[in-house]
Amino acid sequence: MSLTNPPSSGSISARRPGQTLKRNLQASVDEALDSRRPAGYTSKVRVRDRYHIVGFISSGTYGRVYKAIGKNGQKGEFAIKKFKPDKEGESIQYTGLSQSAIREMSLCTELSHANVIQLEEIILEDKCIFMVFEYTEHDLLQIIHHHTQPQRHVIPAIMVRSILFQLLNGLLYLHTNWVLHRDLKPANILVTSGGAIRIGDLGLARLFYKPLNSLFSGDKVVVTIWYRAPELLLGSRHYTPAVDMWAVGCIFAELLSLRPIFKGEEAKMDSKKTVPFQRNQMMKIVEILGLPRKETWPGLVSMPEYSQLQSLVLHRQPAHFHRGSNLEGWYQSCLKNGGYSATSSAGTPGTDGFDLLSRMLEYDPTKRITAQEALEHPYFTNGGPISPNCFDGVEGKYPHRRVTQDDNDIRTGSLPGTKRSGLPDDSLMRASKRLKE
């Protein structure tokens, strides 16, 4: 079997856009399960009655994730996400669900696609919410890290092609159904042991069909800094699926080079929660792509942070600020240093790969390639069929993701984010570790 064409956008797109997904959460989780989609709200069920907790996987801004094995008729392995309660002041109080939790639950109960993570069920136990997902053995961040140990060895070109195609397949499905992911990065791209790509962590995802307010007014900061599109860095008050495509371009580059292409340092918000201009991150992009110009990006001058960009140029004038894009030089150096084949078309991303990358990393979001266009690009249409198993033909095995015994306490009384849990935020640990590399 090979993936040669993107799948149809599924049952959701046949409905009136945005209408079904905008139902309130209670109606979404309370509806009876239908035969097509197993996800739904399970009442009066305790997590430990249905699942045996194997260990702790990771934590992030909104909750903790545990590995579990089903019992009492539930077969297979699962990842259970336990949400943190909202904080009120310094004390933990049950003030309701976070916006992120509501969005993730309402979207995941509706979405169903081979390249998007599958929600199995939602359990409300006491005052805690648990989302039960299928378990995946790997993620792209782990795979990239594996290729840097003990010494750097490139991810095979055929594997990169399969990963990227499946990622775009899932993204096309989301965009067709009016969903922006808004946090695509290697850690959120999951991979099964069978080589299937699953887009995960929809905590920042949201509908963009006819929003009542600008997207910025609801969420002033989206997308992890290294994968944040230039229009977001320049303060755009409204944005499009093009922000996801920029992130895919950054992931593509990282799969080839085994390091983030734009590895800037994030300026944090001040006490007044003012969103700062990300000067260092913008400089990292300019170093490779050159300065954005109003001649090729007409909307540039209307960006809220355009004056900051001009100030950046006036105060810092290294040579690369005044030359054109050096992306092709970066790309060719990346292929050479990585040892990609110079003769076998299957052994290198080649010129087609560079063309696709450059169209993803286009400054002007209106000109940036879409998921649909990317799937029809010669990088995918040339070079033979694409396997739905990204590990096809790859020698060796990838280690499974780390599951620790540090914190197996998934009880509702043990609140993540409190001193009782005692563990730091794993996502912050991973980020700081990468900054030191």
Side-chain angles (χ1 to χ4, degrees):
M1 174 185 175
S2 66
L3 297 174
T4 54
N5 293 297
S8 64
S9 50
S11 59
I12 294 179
S13 59
R15 305 165 183 160
R16 185 176 176 183
Q19 185 180 46
T20 302
L21 292 178
K22 285 182 178 177
R23 295 179 310 174
N24 65 53
L25 175 62
Q26 192 62 45
S28 175
V29 297
D30 280 349
E31 71 174 357
L33 304 181
D34 63 32
S35 58
R36 294 171 300 167
R37 191 175 293 111
Y41 164 55
T42 304
S43 62
K44 298 181 180 178
V45 170
R46 304 192 76 81
V47 174
R48 287 186 176 274
D49 292 341
R50 293 173 69 83
Y51 302 96
H52 168 68
I53 307 304
V54 175
F56 170 77
I57 300 175
S58 65
S59 66
T61 306
Y62 299 107
R64 292 191 177 286
V65 182
Y66 298 85
K67 182 181 179 181
I69 297 175
K71 60 183 183 179
N72 298 332
Q74 287 284 99
K75 295 182 179 179
E77 295 180 323
F78 303 90
I80 301 181
K81 185 172 185 177
K82 175 186 178 183
F83 282 100
K84 295 177 182 179
D86 273 358
K87 286 186 178 181
E88 187 139 308
E90 291 302 312
S91 62
I92 299 291
Q93 295 187 16
Y94 295 105
T95 59
L97 291 175
S98 68
Q99 185 181 61
S100 171
I102 292 173
R103 282 181 181 162
E104 188 168 9
M105 284 188 287
S106 59
L107 288 174
C108 287
T109 53
E110 295 290 338
L111 298 171
S112 179
H113 187 270
N115 297 125
V116 177
I117 195 68
Q118 178 67 48
L119 174 68
E120 300 295 332
E121 65 175 336
I122 299 170
I123 295 177
L124 307 183
E125 182 180 334
D126 295 335
K127 296 176 182 178
C128 279
I129 283 194
F130 302 89
M131 292 182 72
V132 183
F133 294 96
E134 62 174 321
Y135 179 73
T136 56
E137 290 79 7
H138 315 280
D139 62 51
L140 285 193
L141 182 60
Q142 172 212 33
I143 287 174
I144 291 168
H145 179 73
H146 174 74
H147 278 267
T148 66
Q149 305 295 322
Q151 57 187 13
R152 303 180 83 84
H153 54 295
V154 295
I155 301 175
I158 193 171
M159 181 173 168
V160 172
R161 190 163 167 254
S162 174
I163 290 171
L164 199 61
F165 187 87
Q166 293 186 66
L167 171 55
L168 288 165
N169 252 338
L171 194 56
L172 172 61
Y173 169 78
L174 293 180
H175 290 173
T176 300
N177 290 288
W178 305 99
V179 177
L180 293 176
H181 188 280
R182 304 198 304 177
D183 197 19
L184 291 174
K185 56 184 177 181
N188 288 344
I189 310 303
L190 309 175
V191 189
T192 71
S193 58
I197 300 299
R198 305 276 201 265
I199 296 175
D201 199 343
L202 275 73
L204 274 179
R206 66 155 292 162
L207 291 163
F208 64 96
Y209 176 71
K210 292 185 178 179
L212 297 177
N213 300 305
S214 74
L215 297 180
F216 176 84
S217 65
D219 301 276
K220 291 181 172 53
V221 177
V222 294
V223 188
T224 301
I225 188 71
W226 295 340
Y227 309 90
R228 195 174 299 167
E231 63 267 32
L232 295 176
L233 295 172
L234 292 172
S236 177
R237 295 309 192 244
H238 194 71
Y239 45 88
T240 68
V243 301
D244 285 341
M245 291 305 300
W246 176 276
V248 174
C250 294
I251 293 169
F252 185 15
E254 193 166 340
L255 289 170
L256 298 176
S257 66
L258 304 180
R259 56 171 63 93
I261 183 173
F262 307 124
K263 193 175 180 180
E265 295 179 10
E266 184 171 15
K268 301 298 182 182
M269 285 188 184
D270 59 22
S271 58
K272 296 181 180 179
K273 300 295 183 183
T274 302
V275 180
F277 175 59
Q278 297 294 343
R279 185 176 301 269
N280 186 263
Q281 182 64 26
M282 196 70 217
M283 285 180 57
K284 295 298 183 183
I285 295 173
V286 170
E287 285 172 7
I288 294 178
L289 299 185
L291 274 171
R293 303 188 181 281
K294 58 186 178 183
E295 293 80 13
T296 54
W297 182 4
L300 177 63
V301 294
S302 63
M303 291 290 167
E305 301 286 8
Y306 179 62
S307 60
Q308 292 277 11
L309 180 66
Q310 291 179 305
S311 172
L312 185 67
V313 177
L314 290 173
H315 289 87
R316 303 182 67 114
Q317 298 189 356
H320 57 250
F321 267 47
H322 301 282
R323 70 183 182 211
S325 172
N326 188 43
L327 182 61
E328 186 168 10
W330 177 93
Y331 182 81
Q332 295 302 334
S333 175
C334 173
L335 297 191
K336 181 179 179 181
N337 293 339
Y340 282 105
S341 171
T343 56
S344 170
S345 59
T348 179
T351 55
D352 287 339
F354 169 71
D355 185 73
L356 178 58
L357 178 62
S358 63
R359 295 187 65 190
M360 289 176 170
L361 299 180
E362 162 65 51
Y363 269 128
D364 187 346
T366 65
K367 299 175 183 176
R368 202 171 297 150
I369 196 169
T370 66
Q372 178 72 66
E373 291 167 343
L375 287 164
E376 297 168 354
H377 191 273
Y379 175 70
F380 296 117
T381 57
N382 296 340
I386 301 168
S387 173
N389 177 0
C390 70
F391 299 133
D392 258 1
V394 177
E395 296 180 2
K397 297 286 185 180
Y398 288 90
H400 288 190
R401 67 169 65 187
R402 186 170 59 97
V403 178
T404 71
Q405 304 301 312
D406 295 337
D407 179 19
N408 276 6
D409 193 354
I410 200 172
R411 293 173 302 166
T412 55
S414 176
L415 298 177
T418 68
K419 291 181 179 179
R420 181 174 176 181
S421 70
L423 288 175
D425 187 329
D426 181 65
S427 65
L428 298 178
M429 291 174 64
R430 294 169 82 174
S432 63
K433 180 180 177 182
R434 297 190 77 195
L435 283 169
K436 292 175 183 176
E437 289 179 357

